[in-house]
Amino acid sequence: MRRPDQQTTTRPTTDPAPGTGTGADADATVDAPPGKGEDQDRHPVGDLTTEAVLAPYLRGQAADFLRSLRLHHEHSAPADAGGHDAAAATRALRRAARRISGSLHTFRSALDPHWADQLRAELAWLSGVLAREHAYAGRLTRLVEALHQLSGPALPAARGARAAGEASASDAQGRAALGVGAARAGALLERRLTLARTRSHSAALQALGSSRFHAVADAVALLASDVPLAPGTTGRTPEALLEPAERAEQRLLAAVAALPPADSEPYNEAQDAAWHQARLLLRLHRYAHEVVLGAAAPALASCGHALDLHRDAVEAAAAAAAAARTPRIAPATAYALGVLHADQRHEVEAARAVFRETWPYATALTAP
């Protein structure tokens, strides 16, 4: 398994990429640095066995999950005003769930496959339910701030009166038209996304009180003490972990090599799915890196952050477009939402550019 500072001069293999149900995607925040479960020293190759590496990693993530769940319960009590602490506990809970789920996917061959598939599916469900409320809140904040910037002064004050006087009349007219509809567009988005957030909050509370969630928590509690390995896995050579990690890396390299080129059509939403898939595979590769090498991959943090921003901008643009389809809205409101959609699509392109600049396997971005 190569480290990110190494480059490849051969075309990546094209193993089938996993679907979106791995549980590694069901989050709407930037993936935080590894928690206590991954704070390990780098492993010598000879120690890369499931008993020495994978099992302790999964037990550590399960302990993080249970610790976060306990904190969530403590700060979610009616008498507790620590809403911020409850949100932080929820993020930590999702983070541990993603790492467990992603590792179950990548290293399935070293584990009891039936158990791994079942727990992975349940963790994906839980992570998705818990992520939606935060996703809607972040989307609303992003869109309202963008509207404010777009409908603000036509020119920054630092450019001075002379520059302001040279602004084109069409620009001034466009700003005026945008200013008329921006307030109504913001109010419309707030109504739509606040309603969606409220419903997601209710769904999360219902999920956390369900028998299904308690079954997931019980399964993770058992994982904290016992990792069900595949028959015959005990004592296997390091290839039992290196080969799955290498396949995860090759799937990522193939997906990145297949991304649309920089000069492709900027507003082609059909390209978004390929970038979302690359984000999923990058996350799986990062988790495999943590398992096999015993540490996070700092070189992958920036490009991972860029893909998270890409996802956020794509979803914000879609929310603006959906709001613009609201029946009987004023033309000025529709105009403001259209400008907002275009702005977020520009943010999509900016995130793609940052990814290309920070991608550590530089030669993988150019397919032969």
Side-chain angles (χ1 to χ4, degrees):
M1 182 179 181
R2 291 177 293 103
R3 290 182 173 84
D5 55 352
Q6 296 175 298
Q7 294 184 351
T8 177
T9 57
T10 59
R11 185 171 186 175
T13 58
T14 55
D15 291 347
T20 57
T22 64
D25 175 53
D27 179 43
T29 62
V30 175
D31 201 21
K36 296 180 180 179
E38 305 93 82
D39 192 13
Q40 310 167 32
D41 296 329
R42 291 184 180 274
H43 307 297
V45 174
D47 293 337
L48 289 177
T49 62
T50 52
E51 303 98 312
V53 175
L54 180 59
Y57 179 89
L58 288 173
R59 287 197 296 266
Q61 293 304 320
D64 283 351
F65 181 98
L66 297 173
R67 187 181 305 110
S68 301
L69 179 58
R70 183 176 65 254
L71 291 174
H72 184 275
H73 287 330
E74 291 174 358
H75 295 296
S76 298
D80 196 306
H84 176 75
D85 292 331
T90 301
R91 288 194 297 271
L93 187 67
R94 296 202 315 267
R95 183 167 61 244
R98 291 194 305 271
R99 281 176 162 80
I100 295 172
S101 181
S103 300
L104 294 181
H105 174 83
T106 300
F107 301 104
R108 180 179 182 274
S109 60
L111 301 164
D112 180 317
H114 177 73
W115 167 83
D117 291 344
Q118 186 174 34
L119 180 56
R120 180 165 57 90
E122 293 303 286
L123 288 172
W125 161 75
L126 175 63
S127 185
V129 169
L130 295 180
R132 291 188 191 108
E133 179 184 359
H134 180 85
Y136 285 121
R139 200 168 304 153
L140 176 60
T141 299
R142 181 187 185 95
L143 289 170
V144 170
E145 290 179 351
L147 267 177
H148 177 73
Q149 293 175 359
L150 290 169
S151 61
L155 294 171
R159 294 179 61 181
R162 179 181 177 183
E166 295 174 354
S168 66
S170 62
D171 177 73
Q173 292 172 356
R175 288 283 182 171
L178 181 58
V180 171
R184 292 181 178 179
L188 175 60
L189 288 168
E190 185 168 2
R191 287 195 302 272
R192 291 172 61 93
L193 293 175
T194 300
L195 177 59
R197 180 186 180 184
T198 301
R199 289 174 174 171
S200 297
H201 179 73
S202 299
L205 291 178
Q206 184 177 4
L208 290 173
S210 67
S211 58
R212 183 178 183 180
F213 169 75
H214 289 296
V216 175
D218 289 344
V220 175
L222 291 175
L223 176 62
S225 59
D226 178 41
V227 178
L229 301 176
T233 300
T234 304
R236 286 178 62 182
T237 62
E239 282 69 23
L241 296 182
L242 287 175
E243 290 178 358
E246 179 67 19
R247 286 195 295 271
E249 182 181 65
Q250 291 300 314
R251 284 193 292 264
L252 169 63
L253 293 176
V256 172
L259 288 174
D263 58 355
S264 59
E265 184 181 356
Y267 284 90
N268 188 351
E269 281 89 349
Q271 297 176 354
D272 294 343
W275 287 88
H276 292 331
Q277 181 70 356
R279 175 178 173 271
L280 285 171
L281 294 174
L282 175 58
R283 183 170 278 180
L284 290 175
H285 172 58
R286 288 176 55 210
Y287 297 163
H289 190 286
E290 292 172 6
V291 172
V292 173
L293 297 182
L300 297 174
S302 295
C303 52
H305 180 66
L307 290 181
D308 286 340
L309 292 178
H310 176 274
R311 184 272 320 275
D312 293 344
V314 167
E315 293 181 347
R325 293 191 292 269
T326 302
R328 297 182 299 279
I329 61 173
T333 306
Y335 173 75
L337 290 169
V339 173
L340 182 60
H341 173 268
D343 172 74
Q344 292 303 301
R345 291 306 304 183
H346 284 303
E347 292 295 321
V348 169
E349 293 305 311
R352 293 178 182 180
V354 172
F355 174 82
R356 292 187 178 99
E357 293 170 359
T358 58
W359 176 243
Y361 302 109
T363 55
L365 282 172
T366 303

